[in-house]
């Protein structure tokens, strides 16, 4: 999948993103997710911040075979990717999950974390309950930031040593979830596809607002999730885990068209 093109009219409070992808295996498919991201929706209208559609086309004829609501797809897929990253990078025996935010993504992340950490306790933070999440973060092994906050809500010193962070919400220039005051957050920054991760972590990580675990450029290692998911062999897994006590691990993403298309192509098949 290519990097997503984004259209944002001058002064507009939202943007339109286009996310194409292709499945080459039979039966081949093209998919296009078009999504309007409106951060004010939850508070102002009681709606999901992500509104749009996913189109599926037959890969041979080009025929439109499905038109799907993108909001539930985004809700499910985003949390599912966080679950895969958590399974790959979180410390074995992780017992506490902290989820920052109380909206759509918070709900789906509770369900996803239950799938990979069924015995863990889950804490959910909302700004309505507490001005900062510091109390919720105390001793958390896994942290999911699921907000559209324009100001940082997470400070590096609030994280427990060896914590894994799924940085989910900051996908706009106006969004910031992680404080970026030069702090080095992660030893390993896990990205959705190395190509997308490089764009988030270097040139675009400040302009798009995808926090990339503070400053991703400060991380020792930046890899794609598909690589880290294959780290089941003892030699690779041990390298991932050997310094968990010393470093935070993190996932960042700005959209995953392959996941959107593949999930619903399977449903269609």
């Amino acid at each position: 999948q290519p990097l997503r093109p984004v259209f944002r009219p001058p002064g507009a409070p939202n943007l339109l993103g286009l996310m194409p992808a292709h499945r080459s295996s039979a039966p081949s498919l093209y998919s296009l997710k078009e999504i309007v991201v409106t951060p004010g929706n939850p508070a102002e209208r009681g709606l999901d911040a992500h509104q749009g559609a996913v189109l599926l086309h037959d890969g041979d004829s080009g025929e439109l075979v499905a038109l799907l609501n993108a909001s539930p797809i985004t809700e499910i897929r985003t949390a599912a990717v966080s679950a895969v990253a958590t399974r790959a990078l979180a410390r074995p025996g992780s017992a506490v999950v902290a989820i920052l935010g109380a909206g759509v993504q918070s709900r789906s992340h509770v369900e996803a974390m239950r799938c990979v950490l069924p015995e863990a306790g889950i804490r959910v933070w909302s700004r309505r309950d507490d001005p900062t999440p510091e109390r919720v973060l105390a001793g958390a092994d896994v942290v999911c930031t699921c907000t559209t906050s324009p100001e940082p809500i997470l400070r590096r010193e609030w994280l427990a040593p060896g914590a894994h962070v799924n940085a989910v919400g900051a996908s706009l220039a106006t969004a910031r979830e992680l404080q970026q005051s030069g702090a080095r957050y992660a030893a390993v920054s896990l990205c959705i596809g190395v190509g997308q991760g490089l764009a988030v972590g270097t040139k675009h990580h400040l302009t798009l607002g995808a926090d990339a675990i503070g400053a991703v450029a400060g991380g020792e290692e930046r890899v794609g999730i598909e690589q880290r998911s294959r780290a089941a062999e003892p030699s690779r897994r041990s390298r991932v885990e050997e310094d968990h006590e010393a470093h935070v691990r993190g996932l960042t993403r700005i959209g995953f068209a392959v996941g959107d298309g593949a999930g619903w192509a399977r449903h269609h098949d």
Side-chain angles (χ1 to χ4, degrees):
Q1 69 174 66
L3 287 171
R4 66 179 183 184
V6 173
F7 172 63
R8 185 170 192 172
N14 50 17
L15 60 79
L16 171 68
L18 301 175
M19 300 162 60
H22 176 254
R23 185 180 74 178
S24 57
S25 59
S28 63
L29 285 170
Y30 286 100
S31 69
L32 175 66
K33 178 180 177 182
E34 59 86 18
I35 196 85
V36 176
V37 182
T38 306
N41 267 356
E44 298 170 13
R45 304 174 183 88
L47 296 173
D48 188 352
H50 294 75
Q51 300 290 327
V54 174
L55 290 77
L56 294 180
H57 294 264
D58 183 277
D60 296 319
S61 69
E63 178 186 8
L64 181 65
V65 295
L67 175 61
L68 306 155
N69 186 345
S71 292
I73 296 174
T74 302
E75 176 182 350
I76 295 167
R77 183 267 303 153
T78 302
V81 173
S82 291
V84 171
T86 299
R87 186 173 58 190
L89 283 184
R91 289 180 293 191
S94 291
V96 178
V97 177
I99 297 177
L100 310 188
V104 168
Q105 281 300 327
S106 173
R107 179 180 65 222
S108 62
H109 273 73
V110 168
E111 297 177 4
M113 293 300 110
R114 287 281 184 222
C115 290
V116 292
L117 297 171
E119 303 300 322
I122 296 182
R123 309 167 182 168
V124 178
W125 171 80
S126 169
R127 201 187 300 271
R128 292 188 297 271
D129 302 325
D130 197 333
T132 78
E134 183 175 6
R135 219 168 23 143
V136 169
L137 290 167
D141 302 294
V142 176
V143 178
C144 306
T145 61
C146 304
T147 77
T148 56
S149 176
E151 300 294 334
I153 59 170
L154 176 62
R155 300 175 65 93
R156 174 64 179 84
E157 59 266 28
W158 293 345
L159 294 171
H164 167 69
V165 180
N166 296 307
V168 175
S171 60
L172 299 175
T174 55
R176 285 289 186 279
E177 292 187 299
L178 311 184
Q179 188 181 43
Q180 294 185 341
S181 57
R184 178 180 170 278
Y185 274 68
V188 173
S189 297
L190 189 63
C191 305
I192 302 303
V194 172
Q196 279 213 335
L198 290 173
V200 175
T202 55
K203 181 178 179 182
H204 299 302
H205 85 275
L206 292 177
T207 57
L208 282 178
D211 293 292
I213 317 305
V216 160
E220 293 172 357
E221 184 179 0
R222 179 172 53 228
V223 297
I225 191 171
E226 67 282 359
Q227 295 170 278
R228 188 57 75 202
S229 296
R230 293 195 297 267
E233 315 113 51
S235 61
R236 296 195 60 176
R237 185 72 185 178
S238 62
R239 187 166 62 88
V240 173
E241 294 172 354
E242 62 187 1
D243 61 348
H244 260 302
E245 293 302 321
H247 296 298
V248 172
R249 305 279 168 161
L251 165 74
T252 185
R253 91 291 299 275
I254 58 169
F256 191 30
V258 169
D260 294 313
W264 286 96
R266 180 175 181 180
H267 177 74
H268 175 263
D269 293 344

